[in-house]
Amino acid sequence: RSGHGAMNVVEALAFSCDVFFYNAGLALGVDRIVLYSNLMGLGVPTGIDLPGEVQGLIPSRDWKAAMNADKPVWERQWYPGETVNLSIGQGSTTSTPLQTAVMMACVVNGGYRVRPYLWRDRPQMRSEKLFSDATLEEVIKGLRMCVEKGPPAPTGTGHRAYMPGKDIIGKTGTAQVVSLAHLAQYKRDEDIPYEKRHHAWFVAGVLDRTPRLAISILIEHGH
């Protein structure tokens, strides 16, 4: 109830501090968020060798303007509040479990986006290096703290994935099924109808093995 208090990015990743990322998102701006989201594989096809892949969406200024082309100018403009929503993956943002696995693979493999594939003999493809080693080191610190159990540090939101002797990193998340306004009538979480309950996300990486692993888990209505 008292909030998280002062936090750096490592702690914000470990304890899922939305307010930190609201401010980080506003500092970055929508254009840079969209750029790096796409570079890491969000909102674009992964290129997996299966038909019917869903592209997902990272909403942008151009997307909103096109969606509201026949509406007044104030409905076509992008507002700071939408950047706040985007900064934690809410609003119109959609992604697939495979896309989030590609994103985590970029973290665990040293900063390269890779194309997933099922056919073993398909040529592997990867991007140029997207992030510096220093940036990845800070992100991995936060994702490792997310899984670690306290004390001495507080326990992270992904502590149930902790395994003694294994170097596991991760990030918890929630995908809303309906807006919060539709849930206001329910006093307790257990009163919410199953089909309206949020989905639970967890993306993880295993670092102390070769090859390293990137994992994405979505539990429908499991939040």
Side-chain angles (χ1 to χ4, degrees):
R1 291 179 178 272
S2 60
H4 287 112
M7 292 206 130
N8 58 33
V9 67
V10 171
E11 295 163 333
L13 286 167
F15 308 127
S16 289
C17 180
D18 285 348
V19 175
F20 179 94
F21 293 106
Y22 294 158
N23 287 284
L26 288 171
L28 286 169
V30 58
D31 299 327
R32 275 191 283 187
I33 295 175
V34 172
L35 171 63
Y36 279 95
S37 296
N38 292 163
L39 286 174
M40 293 187 74
L42 301 176
V44 293
T46 67
I48 191 171
D49 45 342
L50 287 173
E53 181 181 9
V54 176
Q55 180 170 324
L57 173 67
I58 302 297
S60 64
R61 298 177 194 272
D62 292 342
W63 169 84
K64 185 181 180 184
M67 289 292 293
N68 296 284
D70 58 343
K71 296 180 181 179
V73 64
W74 56 85
E75 293 194 38
R76 302 195 300 268
Q77 292 177 338
W78 185 271
Y79 295 97
E82 293 170 296
T83 302
V84 167
N85 259 348
L86 176 59
S87 69
I88 62 166
Q90 296 291 344
S92 298
T93 305
T94 60
S95 60
T96 68
L98 182 61
Q99 287 174 329
T100 58
V102 169
M103 176 183 66
M104 178 56 79
C106 186
V107 173
V108 304
N109 71 19
Y112 303 92
R113 176 182 160 194
V114 294
R115 183 181 67 185
Y117 61 92
L118 298 180
W119 179 37
R120 183 174 59 184
D121 296 329
R122 185 175 187 178
Q124 296 188 34
M125 293 181 63
R126 75 174 192 177
S127 70
E128 61 184 19
K129 191 175 178 67
L130 301 177
F131 303 101
S132 69
D133 291 338
T135 295
L136 289 171
E137 182 180 353
E138 290 303 296
V139 171
I140 288 173
K141 282 181 184 178
L143 299 181
R144 183 179 284 121
M145 186 184 291
C146 175
V147 175
E148 288 178 348
K149 290 186 176 182
T155 297
T157 58
H159 63 90
R160 290 184 178 179
Y162 174 77
M163 295 177 63
K166 300 298 295 181
D167 191 6
I168 299 174
I169 63 174
K171 182 72 187 75
T172 55
T174 303
Q176 289 180 229
V177 176
V178 298
S179 68
L180 296 180
H182 290 285
L183 304 180
Q185 60 183 301
Y186 305 105
K187 295 182 179 180
R188 302 178 303 168
D189 288 346
E190 52 265 37
D191 295 333
I192 299 173
Y194 176 79
E195 66 275 7
K196 293 184 179 181
R197 296 178 186 178
H198 301 329
H199 302 322
W201 279 102
F202 187 63
V203 290
V206 184
L207 304 183
D208 56 347
R209 71 182 303 280
T210 303
R212 292 180 169 186
L213 295 180
I215 302 164
S216 176
I217 301 168
L218 173 71
I219 301 178
E220 291 185 335
H221 311 296
H223 182 66

